[in-house]
Amino acid sequence: MSEVTIEQAAQLIGQNVTIKGWLYNRRSSKKLHFLQIRDGSGYIQAVMFKPEVGDEVFEAAGRIPFESSVILSGEAKADERSPLGYEIGVSELRVVNEARDEYPISKKEHGVDFLMEHRHLWLRSKRQHAILRVRAELVAAIRDYFDSNGFLLVDAPIFTPAACEGTTTLFQTDYFGDKAYLTQSGQLYMEAAAMAHGKVYCFGPTFRAEKSKTRRHLTEFWMVEPEVAFLDLDGDMDLAEDFLCYIVQRVVSKREPELRLLERDLSKLELVRKPFPRISYDQAVALIREQGLEFEDEDDFGAEHETAISKNYDRPVMIHRYPSAVKAFYMKRDPQRPQRALCVDVIAPEGVGEIIGGGQREDELDLLQQRIDEHGLPREAFQWYLDLRRYGGVPHAGFGLGVERTVGWLCGVPHVREVIPFPRLMTRIYP
Ligand code: 4AD
Ligand code: MG
């Protein structure tokens, strides 16, 4: 008997295998149990025939509640109807731990609140299992892209002395009697790192005290942020486009079974190829108004505006040069038109909205100092940041991609709370 995972057993047809896992589901008749077993690597049907295992084992297999843990052995038999191409003919079954009670999550419909309250158990369900595997592949793809394209991984701190993305979404903590904030973005630190290493990226959790209960806001989310010295806005858009095409196609090719289980329309993702349309903020506003939507001059886009814009395209659209007034202090202004920032947002199709925000950074000392003052940010906290302009400042640019919004898009899951293992929302910090 070789001890294997459900995934590995697919290569061992005709052999006896031992699998350690949990009872996921069960259908029974007088002499047969059809046990659905999961072990983390996959889900498989194990068929138990009473005369082959004896009365005692057969009775136990029919009685134990779902999610009891078991070790079972038997022959891996070819079966075309199984997604893995085989099933197991059980010859032995040992119960490791019989679940105390009926498992709280049944196969019937539960409300999202109930499921979120049981997130620690919900993770075992097929859809949730598939989503986290897609997420892990996306993270691996992101790392591989940057690691193999000359970027150095540089970790940004989590405790920070000041705001990066506006003072309204800061989480404040007590830092030995002083104030510190949980980082909103590693960008400012990546700018320092880019001046040391040229091409860098950070990848970690970021925090926003978002008082919004939308389907795309978490208070703790993961962001990857590349930053490149001697790069302008056009180069930044080229990078975002190349990067997105790579990560999307990689996830589609490696996680097709999971995406199919999630009933994702893969033809939509196949379309994510270069070139992406690039339009200015002003062109985007015209698209919104053409569709009869109200839009205030110089305003930022809301979710419904982003959906209206993306409707016109079958792939992500890059919107550049927003009004500087609605963007962060560090954005470089367009020399042709100072009321516009040299920034870009990438809007994913199918109503997903913004997944990337970035652009060229202000590299002139005086102008940057002025912005810091205008935004009411504490000068002292930004001296180090200004030093980057004092000592050999160069044009530079980068962006941030939100992992959860991207996983949500890839999986076709509308709410970001389902694509992070333990979501942190304005109204949720348990489990
Ligand atoms: O557009 P944002 O705020 O950009 C920055 O933080 C820049 N400093 C990044 C950079 O240039 N290095 O955030 C970037 C992305 C968004 O496009 C979105 O995908 C995600 O981070 N994001 C969130 N995801 C989930 N919940 C939230 N509350 C998010 N806020 C931003
Ligand atoms: Mg943004």
Side-chain angles (χ1 to χ4, degrees):
M1 290 278 173
S2 49
E3 210 175 278
V4 292
T5 64
I6 287 172
E7 210 170 32
Q8 290 166 338
Q11 310 306 319
L12 300 172
I13 306 297
Q15 298 187 38
N16 273 319
V17 296
T18 296
I19 283 166
K20 298 174 161 183
W22 293 263
L23 177 65
Y24 186 69
N25 207 347
R26 173 177 50 213
R27 241 176 348 103
S28 297
S29 65
K30 215 166 159 226
K31 290 195 167 156
L32 281 172
H33 290 312
F34 297 95
L35 311 171
Q36 299 293 325
I37 304 294
R38 55 167 203 89
D39 76 341
S41 79
Y43 298 77
I44 199 71
Q45 171 158 287
V47 184
M48 183 182 278
F49 186 43
K50 192 170 178 180
E52 276 171 24
V53 294
D55 290 356
E56 207 176 305
V57 171
F58 190 80
E59 186 274 327
R63 185 196 66 234
I64 56 172
F66 294 149
E67 292 300 323
S68 295
S69 44
V70 295
I71 299 177
L72 62 80
S73 301
E75 186 186 337
K77 297 176 178 171
D79 184 302
E80 276 173 19
R81 289 160 302 177
S82 153
L84 291 174
Y86 79 100
E87 63 175 25
I88 294 174
V90 184
S91 53
E92 278 173 52
L93 176 126
R94 187 159 77 79
V95 179
V96 177
N97 183 287
E98 182 172 332
R100 301 281 170 108
D101 294 307
E102 201 175 311
Y103 190 60
I105 300 177
S106 61
K107 301 294 172 267
K108 70 167 201 277
E109 291 275 305
H110 292 288
V112 174
D113 276 343
F114 176 87
L115 291 168
M116 276 296 160
E117 206 60 21
H118 293 85
R119 182 64 175 168
H120 50 296
L121 300 178
W122 190 23
L123 292 179
R124 304 179 188 189
S125 302
K126 272 187 184 167
R127 276 178 59 85
Q128 301 306 314
H129 184 262
I131 291 168
L132 287 196
R133 280 163 71 104
V134 171
R135 179 185 173 106
E137 187 61 38
L138 175 70
V139 169
I142 289 170
R143 290 196 180 286
D144 286 349
Y145 179 86
F146 290 120
D147 292 344
S148 56
N149 281 286
F151 286 76
L152 187 78
L153 174 71
V154 178
D155 302 313
I158 303 270
F159 285 129
T160 59
C164 172
E165 295 297 325
T167 48
T168 56
T169 61
L170 277 177
F171 274 115
Q172 190 179 310
T173 62
D174 172 67
Y175 199 76
F176 306 107
D178 272 335
K179 284 180 195 160
Y181 309 96
L182 299 185
T183 184
Q184 298 169 304
S185 155
Q187 178 198 319
L188 307 186
Y189 297 96
M190 288 309 102
E191 291 183 51
M195 300 306 140
H197 294 278
K199 291 164 74 172
V200 297
Y201 74 103
C202 64
F203 196 172
T206 44
F207 305 86
R208 307 265 170 108
E210 300 274 9
K211 290 203 183 68
S212 46
K213 299 180 191 167
T214 75
R215 57 179 181 79
R216 47 190 206 164
H217 286 102
L218 293 159
T219 54
E220 175 177 328
F221 64 98
W222 282 66
M223 178 155 57
V224 60
E225 298 182 84
E227 191 71 31
V228 183
F230 297 103
L231 191 71
D232 63 8
L233 177 62
D234 286 332
D236 200 33
M237 290 197 272
D238 294 342
L239 176 64
E241 178 183 67
D242 193 60
F243 165 69
L244 266 183
C245 290
Y246 174 81
I247 58 174
V248 171
Q249 296 318 323
R250 157 95 175 252
V251 170
V252 170
S253 73
K254 293 260 187 151
R255 288 287 173 231
E256 195 182 318
E258 284 81 359
L259 294 170
R260 289 201 187 281
L261 183 139
L262 294 164
E263 294 170 42
R264 183 66 169 107
D265 181 354
L266 294 181
S267 67
K268 293 248 164 60
L269 296 177
E270 301 285 359
L271 291 168
V272 182
R273 309 269 178 193
K274 287 188 219 181
F276 295 170
R278 298 181 188 193
I279 61 171
S280 68
Y281 167 87
D282 296 285
Q283 289 170 305
V285 170
L287 284 176
I288 291 168
R289 289 186 174 147
E290 268 169 31
Q291 291 175 48
L293 279 174
E294 294 274 325
F295 191 79
E296 190 114 6
D297 283 340
E298 303 295 293
D299 211 352
D300 200 358
F301 299 139
E304 76 276 30
H305 303 124
E306 290 180 354
T307 302
I309 299 160
S310 68
K311 259 191 205 150
N312 299 277
Y313 308 100
D314 62 2
R315 60 196 75 199
V317 50
M318 306 210 244
I319 308 174
H320 52 81
R321 295 181 173 78
Y322 284 65
S324 341
V326 302
K327 289 292 182 187
F329 77 95
Y330 53 70
M331 300 273 186
K332 188 171 178 65
R333 305 216 168 176
D334 187 347
Q336 316 290 320
R337 207 178 157 198
Q339 63 277 41
R340 291 287 177 266
L342 292 177
C343 64
V344 59
D345 275 10
V346 182
I347 311 295
E350 304 174 73
V352 170
E354 180 199 335
I355 53 170
I356 283 182
Q360 203 175 322
R361 321 307 187 185
E362 184 52 75
D363 48 357
E364 282 183 46
L365 181 62
D366 296 339
L367 288 176
L368 186 57
Q369 207 143 24
Q370 208 178 310
R371 301 288 170 259
I372 289 171
D373 294 344
E374 283 167 8
H375 283 253
L377 296 165
R379 270 195 175 195
E380 330 74 70
F382 288 94
Q383 285 312 312
W384 69 270
Y385 187 62
L386 292 166
D387 271 352
L388 306 177
R389 281 72 181 165
R390 288 190 186 103
Y391 304 105
V394 297
H396 62 287
F399 61 81
L401 168 99
V403 166
E404 289 74 20
R405 290 190 192 172
T406 309
V407 179
W409 170 41
L410 293 175
C411 290
V413 170
H415 203 302
V416 288
R417 69 188 163 202
E418 261 190 71
V419 303
I420 183 163
F422 294 97
R424 297 295 174 242
L425 304 159
M426 193 186 160
T427 52
R428 175 162 299 286
I429 196 164
Y430 175 94

